[in-house]
Amino acid sequence: MTFRAVRTTLCAMIVSLAFGASAQAASKGVFYECDMTSSQRDSNWIAPKIGLVLFETGQAKIVDPWVLRYMDGPLDVTPRTPRKDLVRVSWVLSNITTNIGKRLEPIRYRMDLNTVRKTAKVWASWTVYDGARYNGEGTCKVYDRVPKLPGL
């Protein structure tokens, strides 16, 4: 699946949620749609859109174009709350291959979501490759229902 196809799928998911195309929610929870801007111009490892679902059960899932491309669906993440207004999640992106078939080392991600200001900060770092790091910031829209999609 190409990056463009994955990005289109994620955008369609968000649009269907915003316009009520999914009349019934699959699970009860809150969906954060975050529009991100990477601090590095020459890198797109921080996706332009990241979705975070916080379920009433205390579980969570993360989704972005890279997760959909390399992990075949939303990832389960464990939310932590170091402060009352902060939710922190971490995940590892693996199975990364280049256009010529070369496998890359996994990338570790961390997202801090301020639930009061509705802002997000994301950091990504390679586990090798001289410690290359990427970061980005964004604002989030909040929906009180979870989209009814596979993996969510």
Side-chain angles (χ1 to χ4, degrees):
M1 187 178 260
T2 66
F3 180 74
R4 178 174 283 170
V6 171
R7 184 178 62 197
T8 302
T9 301
L10 181 61
C11 291
M13 174 182 80
I14 292 166
V15 168
S16 72
L17 175 68
F19 289 40
S22 57
Q24 292 183 337
S27 302
K28 296 201 178 222
V30 179
F31 178 65
Y32 291 87
E33 172 197 341
C34 302
D35 294 314
M36 305 299 297
T37 303
S38 178
S39 298
Q40 292 81 9
R41 287 183 172 185
D42 59 344
S43 169
N44 58 2
W45 286 111
I46 303 296
K49 283 213 183 275
I50 298 176
L52 175 64
V53 180
L54 299 175
F55 295 102
E56 287 181 350
T57 61
Q59 298 172 318
K61 289 194 180 248
I62 195 85
V63 62
D64 72 13
W66 294 121
V67 168
L68 291 176
R69 179 175 183 179
Y70 295 114
M71 306 304 287
D72 296 325
L75 287 178
D76 292 321
V77 292
T78 303
R80 294 184 304 280
T81 51
R83 291 193 325 248
K84 189 172 158 179
D85 64 340
L86 181 70
V87 175
R88 178 173 292 158
V89 295
S90 301
W91 68 98
V92 176
L93 188 65
S94 56
N95 302 324
I96 305 169
T97 53
T98 65
N99 294 342
I100 60 172
K102 180 182 174 186
R103 289 189 61 93
L104 300 180
E105 293 294 322
I107 302 176
R108 297 185 188 281
Y109 282 85
R110 185 181 102 191
M111 177 181 195
D112 284 354
L113 173 71
N114 186 310
T115 56
V116 174
R117 292 185 177 148
K118 297 175 183 64
T119 58
K121 292 184 180 181
V122 175
W123 295 268
S125 61
W126 292 99
T127 55
V128 293
Y129 303 126
D130 298 326
R133 296 188 192 327
Y134 309 97
N135 62 311
E137 296 183 354
T139 57
C140 304
K141 297 174 191 162
V142 184
Y143 301 95
D144 61 355
R145 57 188 174 158
V146 179
K148 188 176 181 181
L149 294 166
L152 290 178

Coordinates of all heavy atoms in Angstrom, one line a residue, residues 23-91:
A23 N -22.9 5.8 11.8 CA -24.0 6.1 12.7 C -23.8 5.5 14.1 O -24.1 6.1 15.1 CB -25.3 5.7 12.1
Q24 N -23.2 4.3 14.1 CA -23.1 3.7 15.4 C -21.6 3.5 15.7 O -20.8 3.1 14.9 CB -23.7 2.3 15.5 CG -25.2 2.4 15.4 CD -25.8 1.0 15.5 OE1 -25.1 0.0 15.2 NE2 -27.0 0.9 15.9
A25 N -21.2 3.8 16.9 CA -19.8 3.7 17.3 C -19.5 2.2 17.7 O -20.4 1.5 18.2 CB -19.5 4.6 18.5
A26 N -18.4 1.8 17.3 CA -18.0 0.4 17.6 C -17.8 0.2 19.1 O -18.1 -0.8 19.6 CB -16.7 0.1 16.8
S27 N -17.2 1.2 19.7 CA -16.9 1.1 21.2 C -17.0 2.5 21.7 O -17.0 3.5 21.0 CB -15.5 0.6 21.4 OG -15.3 -0.6 20.8
K28 N -17.2 2.6 23.1 CA -17.3 3.9 23.7 C -15.9 4.4 24.0 O -15.1 3.7 24.5 CB -18.2 3.8 24.9 CG -19.6 3.4 24.6 CD -20.5 3.7 25.7 CE -21.9 3.4 25.2 NZ -22.9 4.3 25.6
G29 N -15.7 5.7 23.7 CA -14.4 6.3 23.9 C -14.4 7.6 23.3 O -15.4 8.2 22.9
V30 N -13.2 8.2 23.3 CA -12.9 9.5 22.7 C -11.9 9.4 21.6 O -10.9 8.7 21.8 CB -12.4 10.5 23.8 CG1 -12.2 11.9 23.2 CG2 -13.5 10.6 24.9
F31 N -12.1 10.0 20.5 CA -11.2 10.0 19.3 C -10.6 11.4 19.2 O -11.3 12.4 19.0 CB -12.0 9.6 18.1 CG -11.1 9.6 16.8 CD1 -10.1 8.6 16.7 CD2 -11.4 10.4 15.8 CE1 -9.3 8.6 15.5 CE2 -10.6 10.4 14.6 CZ -9.6 9.5 14.5
Y32 N -9.3 11.4 19.2 CA -8.5 12.7 19.0 C -7.9 12.6 17.6 O -7.1 11.7 17.2 CB -7.4 12.8 20.0 CG -7.9 13.1 21.4 CD1 -8.2 12.0 22.2 CD2 -8.0 14.4 21.8 CE1 -8.7 12.3 23.5 CE2 -8.5 14.6 23.1 CZ -8.8 13.6 24.0 OH -9.3 13.8 25.2
E33 N -8.3 13.5 16.7 CA -7.7 13.7 15.4 C -6.7 14.9 15.4 O -7.1 16.0 15.6 CB -8.8 14.0 14.4 CG -8.3 14.4 13.0 CD -9.4 15.0 12.2 OE1 -10.6 14.9 12.5 OE2 -9.0 15.7 11.2
C34 N -5.5 14.5 15.3 CA -4.4 15.6 15.5 C -3.8 15.9 14.1 O -3.3 15.0 13.4 CB -3.4 15.1 16.5 SG -4.1 14.7 18.1
D35 N -3.8 17.2 13.8 CA -3.1 17.7 12.6 C -1.7 18.1 13.1 O -1.5 19.0 13.9 CB -3.8 18.9 12.0 CG -5.2 18.5 11.5 OD1 -5.2 17.5 10.8 OD2 -6.1 19.2 11.8
M36 N -0.7 17.4 12.5 CA 0.7 17.6 13.0 C 1.6 18.3 12.0 O 1.3 18.3 10.8 CB 1.3 16.2 13.3 CG 0.5 15.3 14.2 SD 0.4 16.0 15.9 CE 2.1 16.1 16.4
T37 N 2.6 19.0 12.5 CA 3.6 19.7 11.7 C 4.9 19.2 12.2 O 5.2 19.3 13.4 CB 3.5 21.2 11.8 OG1 2.2 21.6 11.4 CG2 4.5 21.9 11.0
S38 N 5.7 18.7 11.3 CA 7.1 18.2 11.7 C 8.0 19.3 11.7 O 8.0 20.3 11.0 CB 7.6 17.2 10.6 OG 8.9 16.7 11.0
S39 N 9.0 19.3 12.7 CA 10.0 20.3 12.8 C 11.1 20.2 11.8 O 11.8 21.2 11.5 CB 10.6 20.3 14.2 OG 9.6 20.5 15.2
Q40 N 11.2 19.0 11.2 CA 12.2 18.8 10.1 C 11.6 18.9 8.8 O 10.7 18.0 8.5 CB 12.9 17.4 10.3 CG 13.7 17.4 11.6 CD 12.9 17.1 12.9 OE1 11.7 16.8 12.8 NE2 13.6 17.3 14.0
R41 N 12.0 19.8 7.9 CA 11.4 19.9 6.6 C 11.7 18.7 5.7 O 10.8 18.4 4.9 CB 12.0 21.1 5.9 CG 11.6 22.4 6.4 CD 12.2 23.5 5.6 NE 11.6 24.8 6.0 CZ 11.9 25.9 5.3 NH1 12.7 25.9 4.4 NH2 11.3 27.0 5.7
D42 N 12.8 18.1 5.8 CA 13.2 17.0 4.9 C 12.7 15.6 5.4 O 13.1 14.6 4.8 CB 14.7 17.0 4.7 CG 15.5 16.8 5.9 OD1 14.9 17.0 7.0 OD2 16.7 16.5 5.8
S43 N 11.9 15.6 6.4 CA 11.5 14.3 6.9 C 10.0 14.2 7.0 O 9.3 15.2 7.4 CB 12.1 14.1 8.3 OG 11.5 12.9 8.9
N44 N 9.4 13.1 6.7 CA 8.0 12.9 6.9 C 7.7 11.8 7.9 O 6.6 11.2 7.8 CB 7.3 12.7 5.6 CG 7.8 11.5 4.8 OD1 8.6 10.8 5.3 ND2 7.2 11.3 3.6
W45 N 8.6 11.4 8.8 CA 8.3 10.4 9.8 C 7.3 10.8 10.8 O 6.7 10.0 11.5 CB 9.6 9.9 10.4 CG 10.4 9.1 9.5 CD1 11.6 9.4 8.9 CD2 10.1 7.8 9.0 NE1 12.0 8.4 8.0 CE2 11.1 7.4 8.1 CE3 9.0 6.9 9.2 CZ2 11.1 6.2 7.4 CZ3 9.0 5.7 8.5 CH2 10.0 5.3 7.6
I46 N 7.1 12.1 11.0 CA 6.0 12.6 11.8 C 4.8 12.8 10.8 O 4.8 13.7 10.0 CB 6.3 13.9 12.5 CG1 7.5 13.7 13.4 CG2 5.1 14.3 13.3 CD1 7.4 12.7 14.5
A47 N 3.8 11.9 10.9 CA 2.7 12.0 10.0 C 1.9 13.2 10.1 O 1.8 13.8 11.2 CB 1.8 10.8 10.2
P48 N 1.3 13.7 9.0 CA 0.5 15.0 9.0 C -0.8 14.8 9.8 O -1.3 15.8 10.3 CB 0.2 15.3 7.5 CG 0.5 14.0 6.8 CD 1.4 13.2 7.6
K49 N -1.3 13.6 9.9 CA -2.5 13.3 10.8 C -2.2 12.1 11.6 O -1.7 11.1 11.1 CB -3.7 13.0 9.9 CG -4.3 14.3 9.3 CD -5.8 14.1 9.2 CE -6.4 15.3 8.5 NZ -6.7 16.3 9.5
I50 N -2.5 12.2 12.9 CA -2.4 11.1 13.8 C -3.7 11.0 14.6 O -4.3 12.0 15.0 CB -1.2 11.3 14.8 CG1 0.1 11.4 14.0 CG2 -1.2 10.2 15.8 CD1 1.3 11.6 14.9
G51 N -4.2 9.8 14.7 CA -5.5 9.5 15.4 C -5.2 8.7 16.7 O -4.4 7.8 16.6
L52 N -5.7 9.2 17.8 CA -5.6 8.4 19.0 C -7.0 8.2 19.6 O -7.8 9.1 19.7 CB -4.8 9.3 20.0 CG -4.6 8.7 21.5 CD1 -3.9 7.4 21.4 CD2 -4.0 9.7 22.4
V53 N -7.3 6.9 19.9 CA -8.6 6.6 20.5 C -8.3 6.2 21.9 O -7.5 5.3 22.2 CB -9.2 5.4 19.8 CG1 -10.5 5.0 20.4 CG2 -9.4 5.7 18.3
L54 N -9.0 6.8 22.9 CA -9.0 6.5 24.3 C -10.3 5.8 24.6 O -11.3 6.5 24.6 CB -8.7 7.7 25.2 CG -7.4 8.4 24.9 CD1 -7.3 9.7 25.7 CD2 -6.2 7.5 25.2
F55 N -10.3 4.5 24.9 CA -11.5 3.8 25.2 C -11.9 4.0 26.7 O -11.0 4.2 27.5 CB -11.4 2.3 24.9 CG -11.2 2.1 23.4 CD1 -10.0 1.8 22.9 CD2 -12.3 2.1 22.5 CE1 -9.8 1.6 21.5 CE2 -12.1 1.9 21.2 CZ -10.9 1.6 20.7
E56 N -13.2 3.9 27.0 CA -13.6 4.0 28.4 C -13.0 2.9 29.3 O -12.9 3.0 30.5 CB -15.1 3.9 28.5 CG -15.8 5.2 28.0 CD -17.3 5.1 28.1 OE1 -17.9 4.0 28.4 OE2 -17.9 6.2 27.9
T57 N -12.6 1.8 28.6 CA -12.0 0.6 29.3 C -10.6 0.9 29.8 O -10.0 0.1 30.5 CB -12.0 -0.6 28.4 OG1 -11.1 -0.3 27.3 CG2 -13.3 -1.0 28.0
G58 N -10.0 2.1 29.4 CA -8.6 2.4 29.8 C -7.6 2.0 28.7 O -6.4 2.3 28.8
Q59 N -8.1 1.3 27.7 CA -7.2 0.9 26.6 C -7.1 2.1 25.5 O -8.0 3.0 25.6 CB -7.7 -0.4 25.9 CG -7.7 -1.5 26.9 CD -8.4 -2.7 26.3 OE1 -9.5 -2.6 25.6 NE2 -7.9 -3.9 26.5
A60 N -6.2 2.0 24.6 CA -6.1 3.0 23.6 C -5.5 2.4 22.3 O -4.9 1.3 22.3 CB -5.1 4.1 24.1
K61 N -5.7 3.1 21.2 CA -5.2 2.7 19.9 C -4.6 3.9 19.2 O -5.2 5.0 19.3 CB -6.2 2.0 19.0 CG -6.6 0.6 19.5 CD -7.3 -0.1 18.5 CE -7.7 -1.5 19.0 NZ -7.0 -2.6 18.3
I62 N -3.6 3.7 18.5 CA -3.0 4.9 17.7 C -3.0 4.5 16.2 O -2.9 3.3 15.8 CB -1.5 5.1 18.1 CG1 -1.0 6.5 17.6 CG2 -0.6 4.0 17.7 CD1 -1.4 7.6 18.5
V63 N -3.3 5.5 15.4 CA -3.3 5.2 13.9 C -2.8 6.5 13.2 O -3.0 7.6 13.6 CB -4.8 4.9 13.5 CG1 -5.7 6.0 13.7 CG2 -4.8 4.5 12.0
D64 N -2.0 6.2 12.2 CA -1.5 7.2 11.3 C -1.1 6.5 10.0 O -1.2 5.3 9.9 CB -0.3 8.1 11.9 CG 1.0 7.3 12.0 OD1 1.2 6.2 11.4 OD2 1.9 7.8 12.7
P65 N -0.8 7.3 9.0 CA -0.4 6.6 7.7 C 0.7 5.6 7.8 O 0.7 4.6 7.1 CB -0.1 7.8 6.8 CG -0.8 8.9 7.3 CD -0.8 8.7 8.8
W66 N 1.7 5.9 8.6 CA 2.8 4.9 8.7 C 2.4 3.7 9.5 O 2.8 2.6 9.1 CB 4.0 5.6 9.5 CG 4.6 6.7 8.7 CD1 4.7 8.0 9.1 CD2 5.2 6.7 7.4 NE1 5.3 8.8 8.1 CE2 5.6 8.0 7.0 CE3 5.3 5.7 6.5 CZ2 6.2 8.3 5.8 CZ3 5.9 6.0 5.2 CH2 6.4 7.3 4.9
V67 N 1.6 3.8 10.5 CA 1.1 2.6 11.2 C 0.3 1.8 10.3 O 0.4 0.5 10.2 CB 0.3 3.1 12.5 CG1 -0.5 1.9 13.0 CG2 1.2 3.7 13.5
L68 N -0.6 2.4 9.5 CA -1.4 1.6 8.6 C -0.6 1.0 7.5 O -0.8 -0.2 7.1 CB -2.5 2.5 7.9 CG -3.6 3.0 8.8 CD1 -4.5 4.0 8.1 CD2 -4.4 1.9 9.4
R69 N 0.5 1.6 7.0 CA 1.3 1.1 6.0 C 2.2 -0.1 6.4 O 2.2 -1.1 5.8 CB 2.2 2.2 5.4 CG 3.1 1.6 4.3 CD 3.9 2.7 3.6 NE 4.7 2.2 2.5 CZ 5.4 2.9 1.8 NH1 5.5 4.2 2.0 NH2 6.1 2.4 0.8
Y70 N 2.8 0.1 7.6 CA 3.8 -0.9 8.0 C 3.2 -1.9 9.0 O 3.8 -3.0 9.2 CB 5.0 -0.2 8.6 CG 5.8 0.5 7.5 CD1 5.9 1.9 7.6 CD2 6.4 -0.1 6.4 CE1 6.6 2.6 6.6 CE2 7.0 0.5 5.4 CZ 7.1 1.9 5.5 OH 7.8 2.6 4.5
M71 N 2.2 -1.6 9.8 CA 1.7 -2.4 10.8 C 0.3 -3.0 10.5 O -0.3 -3.7 11.3 CB 1.6 -1.7 12.1 CG 2.9 -1.0 12.5 SD 4.4 -2.1 12.6 CE 4.0 -3.0 14.1
D72 N -0.2 -2.7 9.3 CA -1.5 -3.3 8.8 C -2.7 -3.0 9.7 O -3.7 -3.7 9.7 CB -1.4 -4.8 8.6 CG -0.3 -5.1 7.6 OD1 -0.2 -4.4 6.6 OD2 0.4 -6.1 7.7
G73 N -2.7 -1.9 10.4 CA -3.9 -1.5 11.2 C -3.5 -0.8 12.4 O -2.3 -0.7 12.8
P74 N -4.5 -0.2 13.1 CA -4.2 0.6 14.3 C -3.5 -0.3 15.4 O -3.7 -1.5 15.5 CB -5.6 1.0 14.8 CG -6.5 0.9 13.6 CD -5.9 -0.2 12.8
L75 N -2.6 0.4 16.1 CA -1.8 -0.3 17.2 C -2.4 -0.1 18.5 O -2.8 1.0 18.9 CB -0.4 0.2 17.2 CG 0.5 -0.2 16.0 CD1 1.9 0.5 16.2 CD2 0.7 -1.7 16.0
D76 N -2.4 -1.2 19.3 CA -2.7 -1.1 20.8 C -1.6 -0.3 21.5 O -0.4 -0.7 21.3 CB -2.9 -2.4 21.4 CG -4.2 -3.2 20.8 OD1 -5.2 -2.5 20.6 OD2 -4.1 -4.4 20.6
V77 N -1.9 0.6 22.3 CA -0.9 1.4 23.1 C -1.5 1.5 24.5 O -2.7 1.4 24.7 CB -0.6 2.8 22.5 CG1 0.1 2.7 21.2 CG2 -1.9 3.6 22.4
T78 N -0.6 1.7 25.4 CA -1.0 1.8 26.8 C -0.9 3.3 27.2 O 0.2 3.8 27.2 CB 0.0 1.0 27.7 OG1 -0.1 -0.4 27.3 CG2 -0.4 1.1 29.2
P79 N -2.0 3.9 27.5 CA -2.0 5.3 27.9 C -1.5 5.4 29.4 O -1.8 4.7 30.2 CB -3.4 5.7 27.8 CG -4.2 4.5 27.9 CD -3.4 3.4 27.4
R80 N -0.6 6.4 29.6 CA -0.2 6.8 30.9 C -0.6 8.2 31.2 O -0.6 9.0 30.2 CB 1.3 6.6 31.0 CG 1.7 5.1 30.9 CD 3.2 4.9 31.1 NE 4.1 5.7 30.2 CZ 4.4 5.4 28.9 NH1 3.8 4.3 28.4 NH2 5.2 6.1 28.2
T81 N -0.8 8.6 32.4 CA -1.2 9.9 32.7 C -0.3 10.5 33.8 O -0.6 10.4 35.0 CB -2.7 10.0 33.2 OG1 -2.9 9.0 34.2 CG2 -3.7 9.7 32.1
P82 N 0.8 11.1 33.4 CA 1.8 11.6 34.4 C 1.2 12.9 35.0 O 1.6 13.2 36.2 CB 3.0 12.0 33.6 CG 2.6 11.8 32.1 CD 1.4 11.1 32.0
R83 N 0.3 13.5 34.4 CA -0.5 14.7 35.0 C -1.9 14.5 34.6 O -2.3 13.8 33.7 CB 0.0 16.0 34.4 CG 1.4 16.4 34.8 CD 1.7 17.9 34.4 NE 1.1 18.3 33.1 CZ 1.7 18.6 32.0 NH1 3.0 18.5 32.0 NH2 1.1 19.0 31.0
K84 N -2.8 15.3 35.3 CA -4.2 15.2 35.1 C -4.6 15.6 33.7 O -5.5 15.0 33.1 CB -4.9 16.1 36.1 CG -6.3 16.0 36.2 CD -6.8 16.9 37.3 CE -8.3 17.3 37.2 NZ -8.7 18.1 38.3
D85 N -3.9 16.5 33.1 CA -4.2 17.0 31.7 C -3.4 16.4 30.6 O -3.5 16.8 29.5 CB -4.1 18.5 31.7 CG -2.7 19.0 31.9 OD1 -1.8 18.2 32.4 OD2 -2.3 20.1 31.5
L86 N -2.6 15.4 30.9 CA -1.6 14.8 30.0 C -1.8 13.3 29.8 O -1.9 12.6 30.8 CB -0.2 15.1 30.4 CG 0.9 14.6 29.5 CD1 0.9 15.4 28.2 CD2 2.3 14.7 30.2
V87 N -1.9 12.9 28.6 CA -1.9 11.4 28.3 C -0.7 11.2 27.4 O -0.5 11.8 26.4 CB -3.2 11.0 27.5 CG1 -3.2 9.6 27.1 CG2 -4.5 11.3 28.3
R88 N 0.1 10.2 27.8 CA 1.3 9.8 27.1 C 1.1 8.4 26.5 O 0.8 7.5 27.3 CB 2.5 9.9 28.0 CG 3.8 9.5 27.3 CD 5.0 9.8 28.2 NE 5.1 11.3 28.3 CZ 5.8 11.9 29.3 NH1 6.3 11.2 30.3 NH2 5.9 13.2 29.3
V89 N 1.5 8.2 25.3 CA 1.5 6.9 24.7 C 2.8 6.7 23.9 O 3.4 7.7 23.4 CB 0.3 6.6 23.7 CG1 -1.0 6.6 24.5 CG2 0.2 7.6 22.6
S90 N 3.2 5.5 23.8 CA 4.4 5.1 23.1 C 4.1 3.9 22.2 O 3.3 3.1 22.5 CB 5.6 4.7 24.0 OG 5.9 5.8 24.9
W91 N 4.8 3.9 21.1 CA 4.7 2.7 20.2 C 6.0 2.6 19.4 O 6.8 3.5 19.3 CB 3.5 2.8 19.3 CG 3.4 3.9 18.3 CD1 3.7 3.8 16.9 CD2 3.1 5.3 18.4 NE1 3.6 5.0 16.3 CE2 3.2 5.9 17.2 CE3 2.7 6.1 19.5 CZ2 2.9 7.3 17.0 CZ3 2.4 7.4 19.3 CH2 2.6 8.0 18.1

